[in-house]
Amino acid sequence: MRIGIFPGTFDPVTEGHLDIIRRSRRILDRVIIAVARGHHKDTLFTVEERVAMVETCAESIDGVEVLGFDGLLIDLARKRGASAIIRGLRFVSDFDYEFQLALMNRRLDPEVESLFFMPSAKYSYLNSSVIKEVMRLGGDVSGLVPPSVLARMEGKFRS
Ligand code: ADP
């Protein structure tokens, strides 16, 4: 059984993330979505809210499990028997950071490979920060995040 871990902040999950999850499931039997508590980032949603949102959005994709995590990703990968770390690559600008991360993870555990997926071109300019900024300013982001996420964001920005 080939298990992959897709780590990220998912603040909030977007159609770009879901595109990567679907693509990764074509070659992996199970995908664990690891939602980082995110000490290094100020998040709009708590980790519990982010996990719940990903769960709702990924409900229709089988072979997917969602959990919150804190700590070293490679420890979680080992604990869960994962042989791959899944990441998305949008532009060349993602590359430097992803390259560093992948080589560090390889150093920590050479048995775990990093796998990169390119999203559909229509999602390649998306990131969670841009979505939040546009929404904060009253712009329309429908179609870029699932309807359940849109509703949660509307609630957040109203309060
Ligand atoms: P992180 O804090 O780890 O960057 P993100 O939730 O922003 O968390 O991203 C998690 C992963 O999803 C990263 O590999 C990122 O490149 C990828 N990703 C984010 N948005 C998209 C998108 N629109 N298309 C493809 N991959 C994406």
Side-chain angles (χ1 to χ4, degrees), residues 9-133:
T9 313
F10 303 99
D11 188 44
V13 60
T14 69
E15 290 294 348
H17 292 123
L18 293 167
D19 184 273
I20 298 299
I21 296 166
R22 287 194 195 92
R23 286 176 200 282
S24 64
R25 267 290 286 117
R26 290 191 190 151
I27 60 162
L28 295 164
D29 302 304
R30 280 194 74 73
V31 171
I32 299 168
I33 304 169
V35 180
R37 197 162 281 278
H39 297 297
H40 61 297
K41 280 188 179 179
D42 266 342
T43 57
L44 177 64
F45 293 98
T46 65
V47 69
E48 291 78 16
E49 289 172 321
R50 287 178 277 133
V51 166
M53 283 189 286
V54 180
E55 265 168 355
T56 305
C57 300
E59 212 168 47
S60 61
I61 315 170
D62 63 21
V64 168
E65 184 188 344
V66 188
L67 42 90
F69 94 105
D70 214 358
L72 210 52
L73 177 68
I74 218 80
D75 290 340
L76 179 66
R78 279 205 203 102
K79 201 162 95 194
R80 302 304 297 257
S83 53
I85 293 170
I86 299 158
R87 296 286 288 177
L89 273 185
R90 288 157 290 188
F91 302 110
V92 176
S93 52
D94 279 341
F95 187 80
D96 283 358
Y97 176 65
E98 294 297 339
F99 194 70
Q100 285 173 7
L101 208 62
L103 290 182
M104 179 53 83
N105 282 326
R106 179 179 287 165
R107 183 177 184 276
L108 295 173
D109 189 337
E111 297 299 310
V112 179
E113 286 296 343
S114 292
L115 280 181
F116 297 94
F117 292 88
M118 279 178 284
S120 163
K122 62 179 186 282
Y123 303 133
S124 66
Y125 64 96
L126 275 190
N127 68 55
S128 302
S129 307
V130 168
I131 300 269
K132 283 182 283 191
E133 195 53 24

